[in-house]
Amino acid sequence: MSKKPVSEHADSATEPSDDGAAKPRMTRAERRAEEAQQQLYKKRHRLLFILVGVTLAVNVLLGFLLYESMVVQTERDRVQQAATERAKQAASGIENYLAERQAEVQQWAQSPELLAALQSADPEAVAKVTARLAAGSKDLIALRAFRPGEAGIQPQHQAPLRYAELDLIRRAVRRRETLPEAAPLGDVWHLQYASAVPAGGDTKAAGALLASYSGDGINNIIDAGEDSSGKLVLRQEFSSPRPFALRTDGAGQAAPAVTQKVANSYLSVEYTPSAVLVQQSKELPGMWILVLSLAVTLGLVISLLLSRLLVRPKQAPAGEGLTLPKQYTDAQAAAKTSESVGAPGSDRSALRQDILDIEVIEEDEDILGLDNSAPRAPAPAPAAKQRNVPDEVFRAYDIRGKVCPEGITPELARDIGMALGTEVQEQGESSIIVARDARSHSPELCEQLIAGLLASGCNVINIGVVPTPLMHFATFELNETSSGVMVTASHNSAEYNGFKMVINGQTLSDVAIKDIRSRIAAGKYLTGDGQEQHIEVVADYIDRIFSDVALAGDIRIVVDAGNAVTGVVAPALFEELGCDVIPLYCELDGSFPNHNPDPSIEANLQDLLAKVRESDADIGVAFDGDGDRLVVVTPAGKIIWPDHLLMLFAKDILSRNPGADVLFDVKCSKQLNQIVSGYGGRPIMWKTGHSHMKLKMAETGALLGGEYSGHIFIKERWYGFDDGLYTAARLLEIITLRDQSIDDVFAAFPTLPSTPEIRVAVPEADKFALVEKLIAEGEFQNGKATTIDGLRVDFSKGWGLVRASNTGAEITLRFEAESEAVLEKLKLLFKRELKKIDNTLQLDF
């Protein structure tokens, strides 16, 4: 049986449905419309998936941030608040107790009977009056009154008189501020009050009243508020970076400590929370969960809306009628549109949109990363005009050179001011302290420096002609800024000058100084209109040292300022400390007619040695050209070089601060290493140079540092910068507290045969390369080489050093050995190796 032919037309007009029934076959245009619809859904789903992923990631980050701010930070704030309340409570109780004792002492000091007894100079009358006044006083151990200058050390008294008490009495007699001071005595401590007699007023005091109280009164206050939720430490702090702990109670380290100062005293209360207090301050995360849930819900809703908003059907141009299947009735129009899409020469961006049947606006293209155009390169900055700036004056730790057209000039000083003022402002400060020494060209250089600073928009605080330590002192004490610049060439001869710079408390060195040069060369400055003001700091500086240092005896001192700037401060300082001062070359003369202001050269110390012998002085001190270096001479004609000064200071400071770091440079005696270790300190050898040493002092937290050249850095009770004047004052304090001459004091420290610094002229351009070549090629047998600064070679019986000077066209050498014979062998060894490198060197040692 033959089959009936199937109509081609019928076959194209129907197709089976899912239930087996025939349905009309879609036309080509309808099929394209359905495909476009499917593409649209795919795009929406893909975009929705991306947006949901981004939303969840954002909410995870948001949840973390909210948890930190709403839960963790809340707990921290609660712990901090609780700790603060406990510290305040203890401090308030102590403050009230101190105020009661202070009022009691002031009342006694106003006693007419006490005043009459002191004026009568009758010790028995004074003792009777003080005994009557003291009767029945709470916690009082001793009440004593002294006429000016009559107080002396009483180590065996039940309330001993030591240096600290003598200083307190002396300040009271001079009507200076006398806050209560705690005096440790083994396992207990006393509280000392001093007052002038009569108290108050401007009249000369007839004497001082010293009241010594037991520390039990304050201990009882602490005991009354004791709990187990943290650690409470009662401290006393003067200017030392390590406060002394008078009492410690409890335990705790679960959160940062809170410190509360006790008003009108040197005391403070430090409270450190324990885990108990932290647990009590826990925060339930209910609000955080609610906020995060709302954020997630809102993010998902926005993602859904964005997926529909950003991906939508294309609106066809008028007359082309491209729509979705339900509205797609004109097959011919669809076919026409389809053909036009694929037509040769059609625009490719239109092709992309038509194939996807999606319209994407420009902003959406940026979000979705659909913009394939190349990124626009930023317009190049206009090149700054390059300038010729002498490189050799920008040294490792300051700017320094001869004042000449090829070196330091007024024009360069102005450029340095512009560059330095720009750096200061870019590092967050608006003012800088300016000082200068007494060299003949310093006034003009300082004037131009200030002009440059002001032109950069930086304000200037001009403190005038003062030593460099006073510039550093001002950066610590003035509220306006912690930046400063000093016009000086330190110890160099009269034809030199330069600039020492500090920004934000950091002395500039190495790269930072080269950056100043680069900024000048490129002319990259800020511009503005800074303001200048003048401030005097000499009196404040002297008063600050006077409040810190007290001499226990009379001393005659010769002060050699070398006609440099220390002549305006040193004699007045030592007179204020009670010394009999014999000035030598303290008149300012920038030509230095008597000797160069470099005390590290023995020839420059001969006049000082002669003056000490002639005047029968107890000590002689010599400062360099800007006062940050010190060398000492003795009545026996000995020069106490700075590494031996460091030995005495290490012994003194380590006795109060066991385990402290002590820093010294590569030129110092190897005996210093053993001395520091022997007294319980940690010796650290470092690079020569005041900038390098200051940075290392800050890094290590060392309480003492020094260089063989005379820079001494004291952090205990002082600021940590190099200060020859303060160092001399502290030396006098140590000596007067001992019943020995200065020669006897230093005789206790070992001295090995050694050389002073030996200087060999080498051109600026060659000196560093010479030392580097010696390091690479020198043959020093089994010696241990140290190359942190030049080459130091240590042997079992001595050592030698070669380094390039950072302040002059020279290399410097130094040797030390156990015997003169070994010393000579070391010299010959280094001579031989240096001659191998450069046989033209003049090695006259």
Side-chain angles (χ1 to χ4, degrees):
M1 183 175 177
S2 64
K3 295 182 179 179
K4 294 182 180 179
V6 179
S7 168
E8 180 179 351
H9 177 73
D11 182 62
S12 64
T14 63
E15 61 181 0
S17 63
D18 293 339
D19 56 3
K23 67 176 182 178
R25 180 181 295 276
M26 287 190 296
T27 64
R28 180 181 177 189
E30 290 173 335
R31 187 178 295 108
R32 285 181 52 80
E34 184 174 30
E35 291 173 355
Q37 177 80 337
Q38 292 172 353
Q39 289 290 333
L40 176 67
Y41 290 154
K42 288 180 181 179
K43 290 295 179 182
R44 280 182 176 172
H45 292 159
R46 187 180 301 121
L47 179 58
L48 180 60
F49 178 78
I50 293 172
L51 292 174
V52 168
V54 171
T55 298
L56 292 177
V58 169
N59 276 280
V60 168
L61 177 60
L62 178 63
F64 174 76
L65 297 176
L66 288 175
Y67 189 82
E68 280 290 316
S69 62
M70 298 178 68
V71 179
V72 176
Q73 189 59 47
T74 299
E75 292 177 358
R76 289 174 184 161
D77 292 344
R78 286 180 178 175
V79 172
Q80 187 85 354
Q81 183 178 3
T84 302
E85 287 300 321
R86 284 163 170 77
K88 282 184 176 179
Q89 183 179 6
S92 177
I94 296 171
E95 181 181 336
N96 293 335
Y97 177 85
L98 295 180
E100 292 174 3
R101 303 285 78 74
Q102 181 75 35
E104 187 173 47
V105 174
Q106 292 293 308
Q107 183 179 357
W108 290 335
Q110 293 288 42
S111 169
E113 294 179 0
L114 179 60
L115 177 61
L118 285 171
Q119 290 174 337
S120 71
D122 183 355
E124 290 186 5
V126 172
K128 287 180 180 179
V129 172
T130 53
R132 185 184 61 79
L133 293 174
S137 175
K138 181 182 178 182
D139 300 328
L140 183 67
I141 297 174
L143 183 66
R144 288 163 288 182
F146 305 92
R147 288 170 52 81
E150 291 186 353
I153 292 178
Q154 299 176 5
Q156 304 304 320
H157 196 278
Q158 61 176 339
L161 290 187
R162 299 161 301 183
Y163 153 68
E165 288 78 19
L166 294 181
D167 179 54
L168 191 60
I169 293 168
R170 183 177 181 181
R171 283 187 280 130
V173 169
R174 297 192 176 204
R175 295 194 179 280
R176 299 182 182 273
E177 182 181 44
T178 53
L179 300 178
E181 296 183 11
L185 292 170
D187 296 333
V188 299
W189 54 277
H190 292 170
L191 194 62
Q192 310 280 21
Y193 281 87
S195 173
V197 178
D202 297 326
T203 59
K204 184 177 179 181
L209 183 67
L210 180 69
S212 301
Y213 290 90
S214 167
D216 291 342
I218 292 179
N219 287 332
N220 293 336
I221 294 171
I222 295 174
D223 290 338
E226 188 176 2
D227 59 33
S228 60
S229 60
K231 180 174 71 175
L232 187 146
V233 181
L234 177 64
R235 300 184 188 278
Q236 176 169 258
E237 179 178 7
F238 300 104
S239 58
S240 170
R242 296 187 178 183
F244 180 79
L246 297 171
R247 172 169 173 168
T248 300
D249 282 305
Q253 55 181 4
V258 173
T259 300
Q260 183 68 35
K261 294 286 291 181
V262 177
N264 300 316
S265 77
Y266 299 110
L267 302 179
S268 62
V269 175
E270 180 187 272
Y271 191 89
T272 307
S274 69
V276 174
L277 185 59
V278 172
Q279 187 62 36
Q280 292 172 355
S281 304
K282 284 294 183 181
E283 166 72 3
L284 294 176
M287 182 59 69
W288 171 74
I289 294 173
L290 177 61
V291 172
L292 186 60
S293 299
L294 291 175
V296 172
T297 303
L298 181 61
L300 293 175
V301 171
I302 291 175
S303 298
L304 181 61
L305 294 176
L306 283 176
S307 68
R308 292 181 176 277
L309 177 64
L310 296 179
V311 182
R312 57 184 181 268
K314 179 189 173 192
Q315 302 299 318
E320 295 191 4
L322 183 59
T323 59
L324 292 178
K326 290 183 180 179
Q327 300 149 336
Y328 207 107
T329 57
D330 192 342
Q332 291 182 351
K336 180 179 180 181
T337 303
S338 176
E339 292 169 1
S340 67
V341 168
S346 60
D347 182 72
R348 293 188 64 83
S349 65
L351 175 64
R352 180 182 66 187
Q353 285 193 347
D354 287 353
I355 291 175
L356 297 179
D357 255 343
I358 298 172
E359 181 181 31
V360 182
I361 59 177
E362 289 183 6
E363 292 84 350
D364 300 336
E365 289 195 29
D366 292 337
I367 295 172
L368 299 175
L370 298 176
D371 185 4
N372 295 322
S373 59
R376 297 185 182 92
K385 183 179 178 181
Q386 295 291 317
R387 305 187 53 192
N388 291 324
V389 184
D391 181 64
E392 62 274 7
V393 302
F394 290 82
R395 301 175 183 269
Y397 34 84
D398 56 24
I399 300 171
R400 195 182 307 189
K402 289 185 177 180
V403 178
C404 63
E406 298 79 28
I408 303 292
T409 64
E411 294 76 19
L412 179 60
R414 191 180 194 283
D415 290 337
I416 291 170
M418 288 286 290
L420 184 60
T422 300
E423 289 282 349
V424 167
Q425 294 174 84
E426 288 186 352
Q427 294 193 35
E429 299 212 303
S430 59
S431 301
I432 188 170
I433 296 160
V434 177
R436 69 172 178 86
D437 68 11
R439 293 169 184 268
S440 57
H441 20 61
S442 289
E444 183 181 11
L445 293 177
C446 188
E447 179 183 350
Q448 290 301 313
L449 173 75
I450 291 174
L453 289 165
L454 297 176
S456 74
C458 186
N459 298 323
V460 168
I461 301 172
N462 191 336
I463 62 174
V465 182
V466 295
T468 295
L470 276 78
M471 181 272 288
H472 288 297
F473 171 78
T475 64
F476 281 92
E477 290 294 320
L478 297 184
N479 295 327
E480 293 86 345
T481 183
S482 56
S483 299
V485 55
M486 177 78 186
V487 180
T488 184
S490 188
H491 64 280
N492 287 103
S493 53
E495 67 270 22
Y496 284 83
N497 218 318
F499 308 87
K500 293 182 177 181
M501 299 161 289
V502 177
I503 298 180
N504 269 334
Q506 296 292 322
T507 301
L508 301 196
S509 63
D510 296 324
V511 175
I513 291 176
K514 293 297 184 182
D515 287 345
I516 295 289
R517 181 188 180 279
S518 299
R519 187 179 289 277
I520 295 172
K524 295 181 179 179
Y525 308 133
L526 296 176
T527 58
D529 186 16
Q531 303 297 313
E532 180 182 4
Q533 62 173 314
H534 293 261
I535 293 179
E536 294 287 338
V537 299
V538 173
D540 291 335
Y541 174 79
I542 291 176
D543 191 59
R544 172 68 178 83
I545 295 179
F546 181 82
S547 69
D548 179 77
V549 174
L551 308 187
D554 298 328
I555 195 162
R556 173 175 287 187
I557 181 172
V558 179
V559 177
D560 182 1
N563 298 113
V565 69
T566 52
V568 303
V569 179
L573 169 64
F574 295 117
E575 285 179 1
E576 183 71 10
L577 290 174
C579 299
D580 179 8
V581 178
I582 302 169
L584 178 65
Y585 308 143
C586 288
E587 307 80 17
L588 300 188
D589 188 337
S591 65
F592 309 129
N594 295 291
H595 60 73
N596 280 336
D598 185 354
S600 65
I601 297 177
E602 287 191 45
N604 296 333
L605 298 172
Q606 298 309 306
D607 289 351
L608 176 61
L609 287 164
K611 194 69 174 177
V612 170
R613 288 192 298 268
E614 171 194 325
S615 58
D616 194 26
D618 299 297
I619 189 174
V621 294
F623 302 103
D624 72 333
D626 66 333
D628 54 13
R629 295 165 58 186
L630 168 73
V631 173
V632 174
V633 303
T634 76
K638 292 182 62 177
I639 299 172
I640 307 299
W641 294 110
D643 53 355
H644 277 68
L645 280 180
L646 274 175
M647 293 178 187
L648 180 61
F649 281 120
K651 179 180 179 181
D652 177 63
I653 291 174
L654 289 171
S655 68
R656 295 182 295 275
N657 304 273
D661 291 345
V662 176
L663 198 62
F664 53 89
D665 75 331
V666 294
K667 292 187 283 188
C668 287
S669 168
K670 77 175 193 176
Q671 298 292 100
L672 182 56
N673 184 81
Q674 299 170 8
I675 291 289
V676 171
S677 298
Y679 287 123
R682 187 169 77 108
I684 302 174
M685 182 186 293
W686 193 237
K687 301 176 184 178
T688 294
H690 66 92
S691 297
H692 297 145
M693 295 293 285
K694 286 170 195 162
L695 290 173
K696 197 67 173 178
M697 288 279 290
E699 175 190 330
T700 61
L703 295 184
L704 176 64
E707 300 179 70
Y708 183 77
S709 61
H711 294 273
I712 305 290
F713 310 80
I714 300 177
K715 184 68 173 173
E716 187 209 41
R717 293 164 40 189
W718 199 240
Y719 304 92
F721 56 79
D722 41 343
D723 187 341
L725 298 161
Y726 178 74
T727 300
R730 286 286 291 267
L731 176 63
L732 296 180
E733 177 184 276
I734 295 172
I735 292 172
T736 57
L737 285 172
R738 298 170 180 235
D739 190 18
Q740 292 177 294
S741 70
I742 185 172
D743 282 294
D744 291 337
V745 168
F746 282 99
F749 296 106
T751 302
L752 296 177
S754 64
T755 68
E757 285 190 80
I758 301 169
R759 306 182 183 192
V760 177
V762 175
E764 284 280 355
D766 301 335
K767 59 184 183 181
F768 289 105
L770 172 66
V771 174
E772 288 298 325
K773 193 170 183 181
L774 180 66
I775 292 172
E777 300 178 9
E779 297 179 9
F780 295 96
Q781 304 165 10
N782 60 343
K784 178 184 176 183
T786 301
T787 59
I788 56 174
D789 184 9
L791 175 64
R792 172 168 169 155
V793 185
D794 282 86
F795 301 90
S796 60
K797 296 184 178 181
W799 59 271
L801 168 74
V802 181
R803 62 179 295 275
S805 170
N806 282 305
T807 58
E810 60 196 15
I811 59 173
T812 60
L813 301 92
R814 189 167 185 247
F815 303 94
E816 182 184 61
E818 293 182 0
S819 66
E820 292 290 349
V822 175
L823 192 68
E824 291 303 316
K825 289 181 180 179
L826 285 173
K827 291 180 185 178
L828 291 173
L829 173 62
F830 275 77
K831 269 186 180 181
R832 182 193 72 194
E833 297 306 312
L834 282 169
K835 284 290 188 179
K836 288 181 183 178
I837 305 298
D838 184 353
N839 60 12
T840 66
L841 292 174
Q842 297 297 315
L843 304 178
D844 302 324
F845 59 85

